[in-house]
Amino acid sequence: MSQDEPELPEHILTVREPWATHIVEGRKLWEIRRYPTRMRGRIGIASSRGLIGTVRLTDVLGPFTIEELLDHIEKHLAPATFLEAYAQGQPLYAWVLEDPEPFPTPYALERPTGPRIWVRRRHVKGRTPPYPTTNV
């Protein structure tokens, strides 16, 4: 990366859209997962678009029931139907995210095979071409 490029974090969390975009735009403050993590500090956020930004993972709260999480829907944005399907009857955890920094254009990622939650910085392959814009 050149000196004009942001410093990329070592650990990159993969998140589905639209949640990933909501995270890097600062609208989604909690990432809901089935388990806690010991990871803390600045992490990347990747989606199907590539590495789209960074946040600081500062804490993990829980375990929570679905009902408890619904009291905080403004922090995680997940509706009850999603939480019920995702939890599969198990308690859930809130990964607390702060200081989002979206990238103006995503970085391409080489995806390791198999299901992955975390990707390493070495899988970043450079900027992706700009997405075409459409006027609606």
Side-chain angles (χ1 to χ4, degrees):
M1 307 289 158
S2 75
Q3 64 185 26
D4 294 335
E5 298 286 326
E7 184 175 337
L8 301 179
E10 180 60 32
H11 300 282
I12 300 165
L13 179 66
T14 58
V15 180
R16 291 184 180 175
E17 289 292 354
W19 313 118
T21 296
H22 293 332
I23 289 169
V24 300
E25 290 177 348
R27 293 189 315 228
K28 188 173 192 291
L29 308 176
W30 288 4
E31 171 62 4
I32 304 303
R33 295 286 168 151
R34 293 185 193 109
Y35 48 85
T37 183
R38 287 185 248 171
M39 182 75 63
R40 298 292 185 277
R42 186 142 302 269
I43 62 170
I45 299 295
S47 72
S48 57
R49 295 173 40 217
L51 174 59
I52 63 170
T54 67
V55 293
R56 276 189 323 111
L57 174 52
T58 61
D59 200 2
V60 174
L61 306 175
F64 289 107
T65 65
I66 292 168
E67 293 75 23
E68 290 169 328
L69 282 173
L70 289 173
D71 289 339
H72 303 280
I73 194 167
E74 75 284 354
K75 294 179 181 170
H76 58 76
L77 308 178
T81 53
F82 173 84
L83 293 173
E84 289 164 2
Y86 182 69
Q88 300 175 352
Q90 299 299 313
L92 297 170
Y93 295 84
W95 296 11
V96 180
L97 309 172
E98 298 178 0
D99 302 326
E101 293 182 5
F103 295 145
T105 56
Y107 287 85
L109 288 175
E110 176 186 296
R111 302 286 178 142
T113 57
R116 298 285 175 153
I117 295 165
W118 295 101
V119 179
R120 296 293 190 114
R121 179 176 49 215
R122 70 177 177 265
H123 294 109
V124 175
K125 298 302 173 192
R127 296 281 188 170
T128 61
Y131 289 95
T133 58
T134 58
N135 294 329
V136 181

